[in-house]
């Protein structure tokens, strides 16, 4: 085409071209800054972090976290895993994947909780390869990692208390109510002991209403002292010592191992005003959660006995108000400390606890249960059960599902 | 359009190019930084973490108190350590349990009198009580310049405070206990402080569980 002399137009001079280029760069930059990708880049992480925290919060508020932790406490890991997977799948969006870990990450109680069951290795790989992973943490109380193994003597009216005790702990309990079986288990414990590793961590006799070593077995009671010598912990209560108070050179050794002097048979008492036992010393593993002066309710219709402690400082709870004819104070809980030098067996490495009351009956009396929660707490602590604090960590990331 | 001879323009010389190229690289870097996130967003994320952690600490301590799990200095310290390890935040949890010292504790039978006099942190403490037919009369209870009115009964507590010292007279079950406490009146509580290591976000609360 040839231009006529008077044809007007626009020539793209070099500076105009450069100016156009600069303008295009500026527009592109503004478009990128304001674009959705950049906004997501800033707020997407924040949203993911809130997904994680809110998911744990929802589990807490709906009570599902309690259910999951309880299953973990009692060793039902599959149930815990199923509940956690189902609940988190309902809470979180489909494009958000998750991994829940209960316990220390290096030694978890529960791991492999992913949006779908199975394919754990693939999910773990997806977690490792995710570009952006956010975590939220909660701390919870869990059962001790090493399960306590207990042998319990359970006779009249103790079953309900033992059921309550085992429900709120994850103790591996064997209950017996036959003398022969009981001593067979003690023999097994003594034979299978290795230093520092007792076969049973604790022998718990809340209230034996029979002579545990009758007739020709009279010396057998001393095996409970040998058991304590071999790293065992003994917790005794109720009428146990009353029914085992015939022979000073046998039963007497048991009495000494529980921190009381041999004054047998012990004087029995019951009735008012033995309703509130007072904590007088909280500086020990049994009464630590309480304050000095705290009262523990007790059904005063059940019997107690008059014991004289070997050392008054071992008394951690008592009744100051006593019925007529009973010297004050009446010792309630005696904690014989670890390392005591027994007159027959020498050093006993673990502590022992004597409950001078029928706490199991008081706690589960069908007509008037009293102090149930407190007696469960005291019994738990006496047998050495102490919860530990461990984290619950929820990791979330965006990505497609596996499998 | 005919270019006039005096029309001005821009010649893209080598020097100009050396200036333009770094400017373009800086612009690209700036856009990338913006994409990573601004301070406001990171502060929001950090604040969320601090507040969620503080609320969870409150929940756990309340649970421990209600379920008779020990909340002494060592368990609260272990709790703080757990959160520090898990979140990377600085966590301090201090028990707000005032020191309690029992000065005297006596069984007061009918007709018996209880008298106690001492100087406590510079304040005069004076108490006189008697048991008349099973009812305990506290006739005199003075601590510093504060005097309590006469009180009688079988089960009650009297308290006088001077500065940071609280003196309690506790009557119950025929016993009379005289004790003092230092610190806040909160019997059970905790001071919780959660902050990030750089101090950008912080959450402080005193948990009163009384």
């Amino acid at each position: 085409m040839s231009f006529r002399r008077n044809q007007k137009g626009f020539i793209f001079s070099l500076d105009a071209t450069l100016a156009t280029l600069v303008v295009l760069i500026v527009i592109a930059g503004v478009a990128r800054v304001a674009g959705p990708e950049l906004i997501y880049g800033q707020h997407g992480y924040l949203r993911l972090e809130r997904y994680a925290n809110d998911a744990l919060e929802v589990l807490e508020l709906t009570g599902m976290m309690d259910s999951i932790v309880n299953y973990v406490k009692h060793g039902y890991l599959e149930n815990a895993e199923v509940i956690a997977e189902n609940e988190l799948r309902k809470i979180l969006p489909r494009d958000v994947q998750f991994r829940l870990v209960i316990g220390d990450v290096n030694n978890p109680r529960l791991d492999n909780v992913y949006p779908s069951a199975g394919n754990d290795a693939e999910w773990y790989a997806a977690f490792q390869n995710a570009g952006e992973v956010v975590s939220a943490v909660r701390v919870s109380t869990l059962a001790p990692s090493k399960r306590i193994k207990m042998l319990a003597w359970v006779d009249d009216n103790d079953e309900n208390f033992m059921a309550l005790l085992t429900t709120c702990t994850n103790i591996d309990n064997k209950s017996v109510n036959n003398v022969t079986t009981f001593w067979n288990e003690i023999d097994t414990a003594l034979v299978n002991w290795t230093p520092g590793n007792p076969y049973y961590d604790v022998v718990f006799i809340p209230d034996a209403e029979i002579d545990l070593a009758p007739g020709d077995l009279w010396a057998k009671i001393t095996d409970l002292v040998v058991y304590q010598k071999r790293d065992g912990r003994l917790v005794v209560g109720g009428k146990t010592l009353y029914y085992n108070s015939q022979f000073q050179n046998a039963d007497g050794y048991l009495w000494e191992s529980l921190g009381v002097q041999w004054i047998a048979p012990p004087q029995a008492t019951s009735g008012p005003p033995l309703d509130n036992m007072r904590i007088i010393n909280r500086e020990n593993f049994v009464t630590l959660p309480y304050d000095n002066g705290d009262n523990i309710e007790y059904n005063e219709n059940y019997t107690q006995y008059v014991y004289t402690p070997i050392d008054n400082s071992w008394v951690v709870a008592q009744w100051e108000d006593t019925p007529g004819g009973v010297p004050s104070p009446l010792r309630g809980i005696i904690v014989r400390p670890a390392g005591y030098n027994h007159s027959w067996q020498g050093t006993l490495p673990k502590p022992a606890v004597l409950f001078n009351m029928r706490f199991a009956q008081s706690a589960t009396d069908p007509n008037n249960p009293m102090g149930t929660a407190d007696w469960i707490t005291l019994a738990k602590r006496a047998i050495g059960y102490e919860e530990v604090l461990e984290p619950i960590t929820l990791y979330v990331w965006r990505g497609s599902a596996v499998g | 359009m005919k270019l006039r001879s005096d029309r001005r323009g821009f010649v893209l010389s080598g020097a100009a190019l050396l200036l333009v190229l770094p400017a373009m690289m800086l612009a690209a870097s700036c856009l990338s930084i913006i994409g990573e996130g601004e301070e406001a967003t990171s502060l929001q994320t950090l604040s969320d973490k601090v507040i969620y952690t503080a609320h969870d600490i409150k929940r756990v301590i309340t649970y421990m108190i209600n379920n008779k799990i020990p909340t002494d200095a060592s368990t609260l310290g272990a709790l703080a350590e757990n959160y520090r390890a898990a979140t990377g935040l600085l966590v301090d949890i201090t028990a707000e349990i005032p020191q309690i010292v029992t000065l005297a504790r006596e069984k007061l039978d009918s007709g018996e009198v209880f008298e106690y006099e001492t100087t406590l942190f510079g304040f005069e403490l004076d108490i006189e009580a008697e048991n008349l037919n099973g009812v305990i009369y506290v006739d005199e209870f003075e601590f510093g310049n504060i005097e309590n009115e006469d009180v009688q009964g079988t089960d009650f507590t009297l308290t006088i405070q001077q500065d940071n010292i609280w003196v309690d007279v506790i009557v119950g079950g025929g016993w009379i206990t005289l004790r003092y406490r230092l610190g806040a009146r909160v019997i059970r509580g905790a001071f919780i402080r959660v902050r990030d290591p750089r101090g950008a976000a912080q959450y402080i609360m005193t948990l009163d569980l009384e």
Side-chain angles (χ1 to χ4, degrees):
Chain A
M1 185 195 301
S2 62
F3 288 100
R4 292 200 303 269
R5 266 184 90 106
N6 59 351
Q7 185 134 20
K8 293 184 188 284
F10 183 75
I11 294 176
F12 269 96
S13 61
L14 183 63
D15 54 347
T17 307
L18 284 173
T20 309
L21 199 64
V22 170
V23 167
L24 280 173
I25 289 172
V26 169
I27 291 173
V30 168
R32 185 155 191 273
V33 168
E37 297 81 12
L38 202 63
I39 289 176
Y40 169 77
Q42 294 179 28
H43 292 93
Y45 183 87
L46 183 60
R47 193 192 293 185
L48 211 55
E49 181 257 336
R50 287 183 174 168
Y51 276 143
N53 280 291
D54 289 348
L56 287 181
E57 197 68 19
V58 169
L59 286 178
E60 201 70 52
L61 292 172
T62 57
M64 285 297 141
M65 186 62 85
D66 284 344
S67 301
I68 294 166
V69 169
N70 275 331
Y71 276 126
V72 171
K73 273 182 184 174
H74 288 87
Y76 299 114
L77 299 182
E78 281 187 20
N79 292 9
E81 190 175 321
V82 165
I83 291 178
E85 280 173 5
N86 290 341
E87 292 302 314
L88 286 170
R89 186 70 281 150
K90 281 190 263 181
I91 294 165
L92 294 167
R94 284 232 167 262
D95 63 328
V96 174
Q97 316 304 334
F98 61 83
R99 175 188 174 209
L100 181 73
V101 178
I102 295 181
D104 194 290
V105 172
N106 298 320
N107 185 21
R109 308 290 189 103
L110 179 70
D111 201 350
N112 298 325
V113 177
Y114 295 107
S116 61
N119 301 316
D120 291 343
E122 289 81 358
W123 274 116
Y124 186 72
F127 164 71
Q128 294 280 64
N129 295 325
E132 194 174 62
V133 179
V134 167
S135 67
V137 176
R138 296 289 182 272
V139 169
S140 185
T141 55
L142 294 172
S145 52
K146 184 178 175 292
R147 221 173 154 198
I148 292 174
K149 195 170 176 187
M150 181 170 80
L151 172 68
W153 172 273
V154 177
D155 57 21
D156 292 349
N157 303 318
D158 298 333
E159 301 90 349
N160 292 339
F161 185 85
M162 289 307 300
L164 276 176
L165 187 63
T166 49
T167 297
C168 60
T169 62
N170 70 335
I171 294 170
D172 179 6
N173 178 50
K174 185 178 179 70
S175 289
V176 301
N177 62 0
N178 176 278
V179 168
T180 306
T181 311
F182 178 73
W183 290 118
N184 284 343
E185 292 296 328
I186 295 295
D187 288 341
T188 304
L190 297 182
V191 164
N192 289 284
W193 165 75
T194 55
N197 292 300
Y199 185 78
Y200 284 109
D201 296 297
V202 59
V203 170
F204 182 40
I205 310 174
D207 181 44
E209 292 188 76
I210 61 167
D211 184 354
L212 289 172
D216 293 339
L217 290 176
W218 66 273
K220 202 72 179 145
I221 201 75
T222 57
D223 279 359
L224 286 177
V225 184
V226 178
Y227 161 76
Q228 292 178 75
K229 177 67 178 175
R230 297 185 184 179
D231 301 311
R233 178 191 293 233
L234 183 64
V235 178
V236 162
K239 296 185 172 183
T240 309
L241 287 190
Y242 176 79
Y243 279 99
N244 293 274
S245 59
Q246 292 83 30
F247 303 101
Q248 186 170 5
N249 289 337
D251 302 306
Y253 291 142
L254 175 66
W255 283 47
E256 183 192 348
S257 76
L258 287 165
V260 292
Q261 298 179 24
W262 173 255
I263 304 174
Q267 177 187 353
T269 184
S270 64
L274 298 174
D275 54 346
N276 283 325
M277 180 184 70
R278 195 184 295 263
I279 305 292
I280 61 168
N281 179 1
R282 65 179 295 269
E283 301 301 325
N284 64 91
F285 63 92
V286 178
T287 54
L288 187 59
Y290 297 90
D291 274 338
N292 290 351
D294 279 355
N295 282 327
I296 309 295
E297 283 189 330
Y298 179 70
N299 189 324
E300 60 198 3
N301 295 318
Y302 290 107
T303 309
Q304 293 122 286
Y305 300 94
V306 178
Y307 295 113
T308 303
I310 292 171
D311 188 328
N312 284 335
S313 67
W314 297 351
V315 180
V316 302
Q318 64 189 20
W319 286 267
E320 284 103 5
D321 286 343
T322 56
V326 175
S328 170
L330 181 67
R331 320 301 184 171
I333 302 176
I334 297 170
V335 179
R336 192 267 298 151
Y340 169 71
N341 191 13
H342 192 274
S343 63
W344 175 49
Q345 283 286 316
T347 304
L348 302 181
K350 290 291 167 70
V353 184
L354 174 64
F355 284 91
N356 178 23
M357 73 288 292
R358 303 188 72 197
F359 60 90
Q361 286 72 21
S362 172
T364 56
D365 186 287
N367 299 316
N368 187 22
M370 294 181 74
T372 309
D374 287 323
W375 291 118
I376 291 284
T377 298
L378 290 167
K380 263 170 42 177
R381 298 196 61 79
I383 63 179
Y385 181 89
E386 290 191 33
E387 275 110 340
V388 295
L389 296 164
E390 290 196 18
I392 298 173
T393 312
L394 177 66
Y395 301 96
V396 298
W397 66 93
R398 290 186 194 277
S400 52
V402 165
Chain B
M1 184 193 295
K2 187 177 178 181
L3 285 172
R4 294 199 302 269
S5 59
D6 61 348
R7 180 72 69 117
R8 292 183 188 273
F10 179 73
V11 176
L12 194 65
S13 64
L17 199 63
L18 280 172
L19 287 173
V20 165
L21 282 175
M24 288 172 70
M25 282 165 58
L26 279 171
S29 301
C30 185
L31 289 173
S32 179
I33 290 167
I34 292 169
E36 282 294 317
E38 293 176 332
E39 184 181 3
T41 311
S42 72
L43 204 56
Q44 265 183 301
T45 309
L46 202 55
S47 306
D48 278 357
K49 197 177 189 180
V50 166
I51 204 166
Y52 275 118
T53 301
H55 284 173
D56 198 53
I57 291 172
K58 179 183 170 182
R59 180 191 62 79
V60 169
I61 293 176
T62 308
Y63 174 86
M64 288 167 72
I65 292 286
N66 292 339
N67 289 275
K68 291 284 188 260
I69 296 170
T71 48
D72 54 2
S74 71
T75 48
L76 293 179
L79 181 66
E81 190 51 45
N82 257 289
Y83 279 102
R84 270 185 227 123
T87 63
L89 299 171
L90 299 177
V91 179
D92 298 308
I93 306 174
T94 313
E96 286 275 348
I97 300 172
Q99 178 191 6
I100 299 175
V101 175
T102 301
L103 293 167
R105 180 170 159 77
E106 274 186 33
K107 182 89 195 317
L108 218 57
D109 290 324
S110 187
E112 285 186 356
V113 173
F114 171 78
E115 287 177 334
Y116 192 91
E117 244 181 85
T118 189
T119 304
L120 196 63
F121 298 99
F123 297 102
E124 294 295 322
L125 171 63
D126 201 344
I127 178 169
E128 193 176 312
E130 59 180 336
N131 185 335
L132 294 175
N133 299 319
V135 178
I136 294 183
Y137 291 76
V138 177
D139 301 316
E140 191 176 338
F141 180 29
E142 287 179 39
F143 183 44
N145 58 350
I146 300 176
E147 187 176 341
N148 214 86
E149 293 178 1
D150 294 353
V151 177
Q152 74 249 15
T154 56
D155 198 336
F156 60 88
T157 301
L158 304 174
T159 302
I160 294 180
Q161 179 203 356
Q162 283 280 7
D163 290 349
N164 208 29
I165 311 145
W166 304 72
V167 176
D168 300 318
V169 173
I170 303 167
V171 171
W175 288 78
I176 184 164
T177 305
L178 181 65
R179 71 181 192 186
Y180 73 85
R181 295 175 280 138
L182 298 175
R185 191 169 176 78
V186 170
I187 295 175
R188 276 206 172 90
F191 175 78
I192 301 167
R193 185 180 179 204
V194 183
R195 61 198 191 283
D196 87 289
R198 290 171 301 163
Q202 179 175 241
Y203 190 99
I204 296 176
M205 85 169 127
T206 300
L207 184 61
D208 182 356
L209 297 160
E210 177 58 12

